[in-house]
Amino acid sequence: MVNVMVQGLAGFLFLGLWLTPGASGQLTKLNAAYSAESSWSLATWVAFDAGYFKKYGLDVNLVLIRSAATITSALIAGETPMIQLGGNGTIQAALQGADTVNVLTLVSIIPQSLVVTPDIKTADDLKGKRFGVSRFGALSDLVIRRYLRKFGLDPGKDVTIVQVGGIPELLAAMNEGRGNLWRLPVSARAHSGEKGRL
């Protein structure tokens, strides 16, 4: 089970709140990225909208960069020195030798729903089906593969996994019938229609 949801951007924000004096001069401009339009990004948006970044000397431009691999690449390249994402991207990069650090976890579990089409009643019904994830290697992909193994299925042989995009694209693909199972954050569950759930 994936145990850690790392929220790097919020960690840098909170460290900055404690370590940085109030902004009295020119603000430091920087890009900060988040990887999903979900409640997990709420802390970042609250800080942005409430003016906390500016209060502590930062002129932040928030940028949406979907997928852990892409947002982590932007961090490593220096394009976004602060990011908020599921921890898998920075952890995988560190394991491959990159100098990445996870600062804070806001959510220590991954509150997800596996949403399925009505024809799937048991785990055995998953074999041969098509599954939508945001991107290969992203948190949605890792979670789906983990649960498929838990159900006794080989993700590389027993099912087809396709990249669909972020939460809006996953919801659209699901409601258009372009697959049988999706991994959605709990915050997106209300928009998933009348699908079933494992």
Side-chain angles (χ1 to χ4, degrees), residues 15 21 43 47 54 65-66 77 80-81 95 98 102 110 114 116 124 129 147-148 156 159-160 170 172 180 198:
L15 284 177
K54 288 186 178 176
I65 302 176
R66 293 188 181 127
T80 56
L95 291 172
N102 292 329
I110 301 175
L114 294 180
V116 299
D124 293 336
K129 300 296 193 228
Y147 278 102
L148 287 171
V159 301
T160 301
L170 282 167
N180 302 96
L198 282 181

Side-chain angles (χ1 to χ4, degrees), residues 4-185:
V4 179
M5 173 62 187
V6 178
Q7 304 290 332
L9 178 60
F12 282 110
L13 167 66
F14 293 123
L15 284 177
L17 292 176
W18 288 318
L19 301 176
T20 306
S24 58
Q26 188 173 0
L27 298 177
T28 302
K29 293 185 179 194
L30 62 90
N31 288 326
Y34 60 103
S35 64
E37 308 98 322
S38 74
S39 60
W40 293 1
S41 300
L42 185 60
T44 302
W45 281 103
V46 167
F48 183 81
D49 288 343
Y52 289 117
F53 288 116
K54 288 186 178 176
K55 179 178 178 181
Y56 292 97
L58 300 174
D59 181 8
V60 172
N61 175 38
L62 287 181
V63 180
L64 172 63
I65 302 176
R66 293 188 181 127
S67 101
T70 308
I71 196 171
T72 303
S73 294
L75 172 73
I76 293 167
E79 296 169 9
T80 56
M82 297 189 323
I83 62 174
Q84 178 180 1
L85 75 159
N88 60 307
T90 50
I91 291 168
Q92 288 172 339
L95 291 172
Q96 295 172 3
D99 187 17
T100 57
V101 177
N102 292 329
V103 176
L104 178 70
T105 298
L106 293 179
V107 182
S108 62
I109 61 169
I110 301 175
Q112 303 290 308
S113 291
L114 294 180
V115 181
V116 299
T117 52
D119 60 313
I120 297 176
K121 306 292 184 205
T122 69
D124 293 336
D125 297 333
L126 297 172
K127 192 166 188 172
K129 300 296 193 228
R130 183 178 174 97
F131 302 95
V133 299
S134 59
R135 302 273 187 284
F136 296 137
L139 191 58
S140 61
D141 183 43
L142 297 175
V143 169
I144 289 273
R145 290 174 191 274
R146 169 80 167 117
Y147 278 102
L148 287 171
R149 286 186 197 99
K150 183 178 177 181
F151 296 141
L153 298 170
D154 182 336
K157 295 179 182 176
D158 295 331
V159 301
T160 301
I161 299 176
V162 296
Q163 299 181 104
V164 178
I167 294 170
E169 292 83 7
L170 282 167
L171 287 169
M174 181 176 46
N175 288 321
E176 293 166 7
R178 292 188 277 141
N180 302 96
L181 182 141
W182 300 266
R183 189 275 323 158
L184 292 173

